[in-house]
Amino acid sequence: MESLIKKLSQSHRDCPQCPSPKVVHTFFENVLGLLFPDYASELLKEEEQISEKIEELKHTLSRVLIRNKHLHDGDGAEIAYQFFKRLEKVYELLLQDVQAMFDGDPAAKSTTEIIRCYPGFYAVAAYRIAHLLHEMGVTLIPRMITEYAHSKTGVDIHPGAKIGERFCIDHGTGIVIGETTVIGDCVKIYQGVTLGALSVEKSDADKKRHPTIEDYVVIYAGATILGGDTIIGENSIIGGNVWITKSVPSNSKIYYQAKMYNPGSDETDTYIIKN
């Protein structure tokens, strides 16, 4: 027991100011509640209240970054200031995402339903907030935010991914979007889609390992698209359960065709590409 106590004591000394998951999660929830009152613990109906809340959250982020200089290369207070200065752009992107999800789902009765009920919205909101911090050179905290959303929604989006406007996730559960994925505008993704890497070698960590999805692409449930050189051309439709490791031209339709098994036959399952 004494040996364990010594090891744990050293571990705690080595991490004196690490931001706890609770602190980071609370910060994210408060930012989300600031942007969308549906998530707020209290409504801020006056502009002065909004200003005070922003200053409070700015102070919280500044304090965390100043105490954890190993998580960034800049000035903690300046990063916090710039984060909230650029938050309006995140808000505008999220409003577009909400509208895309509403337009793309006939079951949705209102944008309020999207915001309050759809895991895709929650996951994308976490991603966009985390991505802003990631762009500003902050490490670990963006991952803590997106992993928190992952645990609540089943949608795993790395904060390093680059995602364009009007991004629509339908259902969401089981979606994985890797760190170097690039997604264009007006892309729609269904549950179980993986945008992943062909290699998991550490030596490839700084390379583009994940696919590029161009504008106006729809990817149906269960599709797996792998590789940093793989590009899905604009206006393409990727059918359910396909496995793609090579680029697809623009305006393509990819779907899986299963054939009946006949003993002695050489026929196998095939993928069909239509332009």
Side-chain angles (χ1 to χ4, degrees):
M1 181 62 73
E2 289 183 5
S3 174
L4 175 61
I5 290 173
K6 288 182 179 179
K7 291 176 180 177
L8 296 179
S9 176
Q10 184 62 49
S11 176
H12 281 254
R13 286 197 300 272
D14 290 343
C15 189
Q17 296 294 344
C18 285
S20 71
K22 184 176 181 179
V23 168
V24 174
H25 300 164
T26 299
F27 171 76
F28 161 66
E29 292 280 7
N30 281 327
V31 172
L32 186 60
L34 173 69
L35 299 179
F36 295 92
D38 310 76
Y39 288 94
S41 56
E42 60 175 330
L43 297 180
L44 309 174
K45 297 183 178 181
E46 302 296 331
E47 291 185 7
E48 183 179 348
Q49 292 177 291
I50 298 289
S51 296
E52 290 175 355
K53 189 65 175 180
I54 289 174
E55 288 303 314
E56 175 191 327
L57 293 173
K58 189 187 300 180
H59 178 70
T60 297
L61 180 59
S62 176
R63 186 173 65 248
V64 168
L65 294 176
I66 289 172
R67 290 179 176 177
N68 294 275
K69 295 182 179 180
H70 60 289
L71 299 182
H72 59 90
D73 294 327
D75 177 87
E78 179 63 19
I79 292 173
Y81 171 79
Q82 291 297 331
F83 173 82
F84 283 95
K85 185 177 180 180
R86 296 166 60 181
L87 193 60
E88 183 175 2
K89 176 61 175 176
V90 171
Y91 180 58
E92 292 171 350
L93 285 170
L94 285 171
L95 290 177
Q96 292 179 45
D97 297 331
V98 169
Q99 192 61 49
M101 292 180 199
F102 177 73
D103 293 343
D105 186 0
K109 302 300 186 290
S110 66
T111 54
T112 297
E113 182 182 359
I114 300 291
I115 294 168
R116 294 195 176 196
C117 305
Y118 279 45
F121 166 75
Y122 190 93
V124 173
Y127 156 76
R128 294 215 185 271
I129 291 169
H131 182 69
L132 177 55
L133 286 168
H134 177 85
E135 282 188 314
M136 300 175 75
V138 179
T139 63
L140 186 60
I141 292 173
R143 284 282 282 161
M144 294 171 74
I145 291 173
T146 55
E147 284 304 317
Y148 177 62
H150 181 196
S151 70
K152 294 173 72 69
T153 65
V155 179
D156 182 0
I157 309 177
H158 195 287
K162 297 179 181 179
I163 301 177
E165 300 176 357
R166 291 182 60 83
F167 183 48
C168 176
I169 287 180
D170 201 346
H171 300 295
T173 305
I175 286 175
V176 177
I177 300 176
E179 179 182 14
T180 61
T181 302
V182 177
I183 297 176
D185 296 336
C186 302
V187 171
K188 186 175 185 179
I189 295 180
Y190 285 83
Q191 69 272 20
V193 166
T194 297
L195 304 179
L198 281 169
S199 170
V200 293
E201 296 295 329
K202 274 292 184 181
S203 59
D204 292 335
D206 295 328
K207 298 179 181 178
K208 189 179 186 306
R209 309 182 308 282
H210 306 90
T212 295
I213 312 298
E214 294 186 342
D215 299 346
Y216 296 97
V217 170
V218 178
I219 307 176
Y220 282 99
T224 298
I225 305 172
L226 306 178
D229 295 327
T230 303
I231 299 174
I232 305 301
E234 62 183 6
N235 298 305
S236 292
I237 297 175
I238 307 301
N241 299 312
V242 300
W243 177 279
I244 297 175
T245 58
K246 295 182 180 179
S247 294
V248 172
S250 299
N251 305 301
S252 295
K253 292 183 180 179
I254 312 293
Y255 63 93
Y256 174 72
Q257 177 176 293
K259 295 181 179 179
M260 286 285 258
Y261 173 71
N262 295 312
S265 172
D266 292 331
E267 289 188 343
T268 59
D269 296 345
T270 58
Y271 291 101
I272 310 297
I273 302 179
K274 285 188 175 182
N275 294 107

